[in-house]
Amino acid sequence: MATLKNYLLSVTLCALFISSFSIGECKSLNKGDEYFEQSNFVSAIDYYKKEMKKSPKNAYLYSQYCGAESYLYESDKSINLNETIELCNKALNLNPKNADTYFYRGRINQFLNNDDLAIDDYSNAIKLNFSI
């Protein structure tokens, strides 16, 4: 069963990777996005956190914050991923059609060994990417 789960995770990640090159939202970069693109996740998190206080209904900021934390977690295991999941859920409550948020939540669920939830999130991200 573990092998099947790993296979499904690999397939969904490959599909997401391929779709990210062919389909994407048009977004102008803010300073947080610039930090994110440079893999400066600590600065990106600081920026998004500050902006989330100013714009508490902005799903994009929550999503990007979660993405930055999911990538930073690879080198900093002190991040509380359960809190990050809650912020992903908040972003999805504000905008349930954001494929990136499902992808980030899938990464976090994968780190938490919630493979079934990760597969569901990755599947949702793929469905949303291909329905744009």
Side-chain angles (χ1 to χ4, degrees), residues 31-119:
K31 195 65 175 166
D33 295 338
E34 290 175 20
Y35 291 136
F36 195 115
E37 297 241 334
Q38 297 164 359
S39 298
N40 184 349
F41 301 118
V42 172
S43 295
I45 289 166
D46 289 342
Y47 176 86
Y48 295 130
K49 189 183 294 185
K50 181 179 69 172
E51 293 302 310
M52 287 175 352
K53 288 179 184 174
K54 295 179 190 174
S55 302
K57 302 268 187 207
N58 187 326
Y60 178 76
L61 294 172
Y62 286 96
S63 178
Q64 291 301 98
Y65 178 92
C66 294
E69 284 212 335
S70 79
Y71 287 105
L72 182 60
Y73 182 77
E74 292 177 24
S75 62
D76 180 2
K77 302 295 188 225
S78 69
I79 292 172
N80 183 338
L81 293 180
N82 290 312
E83 289 179 7
T84 310
I85 289 272
E86 290 303 315
L87 291 175
C88 287
N89 293 340
K90 182 169 185 163
L92 289 169
N93 284 334
L94 293 168
N95 180 5
K97 296 188 182 215
N98 188 326
D100 290 343
T101 308
Y102 282 105
F103 175 76
Y104 299 142
R105 192 172 71 178
R107 281 178 52 84
I108 296 163
N109 275 316
Q110 194 172 359
F111 289 135
L112 293 171
N113 295 315
N114 298 330
D115 293 340
D116 292 336
L117 294 174
I119 290 168

Side-chain angles (χ1 to χ4, degrees), residues 13-29:
L13 284 172
C14 286
L16 278 170
F17 180 74
I18 291 165
S19 71
S20 70
F21 287 105
S22 58
I23 302 170
E25 293 178 45
C26 206
K27 300 175 191 143
S28 61
L29 291 180

